Amino acid sequence: MTSVFEEALGADFQRLHPMMRRRFGVGLDAGEACTGRGVMSSIRRGPWWTVPFLQIGRLRNILVPDVGEDVPFTIENHPYRDELGRETVTFVRTYATRPGRTARFDATMVLVDGRVLDYLGTHQHLAVDLDLTVDERGGLVLTSDAQRFHEGPVSFRFPMLLSGRATLHEWWSEEDQAFHVDLEVHNRVFGFLFGYRGTFTCEWTPATDAPDRLKPVRTEART
């Protein structure tokens, strides 16, 4: 069994830097989790009118409305098998945005028809297709594609006019022996909505399951 990302990238997985291969090789077969700790040099958002949408996203750990510089954060990647039998990897980011206050951005990723599907939020309301490529640094580029909203009997393809397309670059730097991450979310009409960039280091620990605190409140069967 290969990891979710190795399966999706196929032969291109070997083009990743070895540290990136270990990080995105987290899975049940590898039997380990990856916890990253570092600092976001900046967390940014778009114009004032984006704030209400970001605040709504906060309610289900989908978006981060706060901004700041030198913000400590963690990212926790744990493999587990969900209630539907799918191998799943958590991508839970926690930001210490203000003294005594944190914000979380929850995601869980599964493999569907050879492609990574990213469920966002505590209740997996948004299902987002991800396109994956490897860059010249041996880094990984994730680009969000079609998005679908699922809640109770309601299920529909989310119109991109009302949403954003995210592009995330992650790579390993030999210079400072750390992982680097750079994310921007843009709307095709309204422009820049949200973004962050930072650096972090990782530790790997044995794991064949994820703590309940990292798992979604409910598991969405619809893709």
Side-chain angles (χ1 to χ4, degrees):
M1 184 187 298
T2 56
S3 74
V4 167
F5 286 88
E6 185 173 359
E7 184 74 20
L9 279 168
D12 278 348
F13 189 78
Q14 298 305 315
R15 295 178 51 223
L16 290 171
H17 186 283
M19 292 297 290
M20 291 289 293
R21 288 203 300 270
R22 185 175 187 188
R23 173 157 157 65
F24 285 92
V26 165
L28 293 174
D29 190 50
E32 61 182 11
C34 175
T35 302
R37 295 181 177 87
V39 173
M40 288 294 177
S41 57
S42 68
I43 300 177
R44 316 176 311 283
R45 65 175 177 233
W48 62 268
W49 47 261
T50 65
V51 175
F53 298 100
L54 297 175
Q55 290 288 358
I56 291 171
R58 178 199 284 278
L59 298 176
R60 292 296 172 88
N61 292 355
I62 294 176
L63 294 169
V64 178
D66 300 307
V67 298
E69 296 181 350
D70 300 326
V71 177
F73 79 100
T74 61
I75 179 167
E76 299 177 88
N77 303 118
H78 281 255
Y80 71 98
R81 195 167 299 282
D82 72 11
E83 299 170 8
L84 302 174
R86 303 175 298 188
E87 179 168 349
T88 308
V89 180
T90 67
F91 277 74
V92 174
R93 308 158 185 89
T94 304
Y95 308 90
T97 53
R98 300 179 189 176
R101 176 174 170 175
T102 60
R104 265 180 56 158
F105 185 179
D106 290 15
T108 43
M109 302 195 185
V110 301
L111 190 72
V112 176
D113 297 329
R115 192 174 193 180
V116 175
L117 180 64
D118 187 5
Y119 286 108
L120 301 181
T122 56
H123 292 64
Q124 296 192 340
H125 283 311
L126 282 177
V128 181
D129 294 335
L130 295 182
D131 290 328
L132 310 178
T133 58
V134 179
D135 66 22
E136 67 281 356
R137 297 172 293 200
L140 188 61
V141 182
L142 294 83
T143 305
S144 66
D145 199 352
Q147 304 176 17
R148 293 161 298 279
F149 179 85
H150 306 302
E151 170 59 25
V154 178
S155 181
F156 60 89
R157 184 167 177 144
F158 206 82
M160 294 306 294
L161 181 64
L162 302 178
S163 185
R165 190 175 301 277
T167 303
L168 182 143
H169 296 256
E170 187 170 317
W171 69 97
W172 169 264
S173 170
E174 295 288 353
E175 183 175 346
D176 59 5
Q177 296 289 292
F179 293 95
H180 290 244
V181 61
D182 190 338
L183 169 90
E184 289 195 352
V185 181
H186 290 260
N187 178 277
R188 68 186 184 191
V189 175
F190 301 110
F192 175 77
L193 301 178
F194 174 77
Y196 58 69
R197 62 171 57 97
T199 61
F200 61 98
T201 57
C202 288
E203 63 175 333
W204 285 265
T205 55
T208 55
D209 197 4
D212 287 342
R213 64 181 178 83
L214 299 180
K215 293 179 180 179
V217 173
R218 70 179 178 96
T219 300
E220 178 58 64
R222 291 165 292 187
T223 60

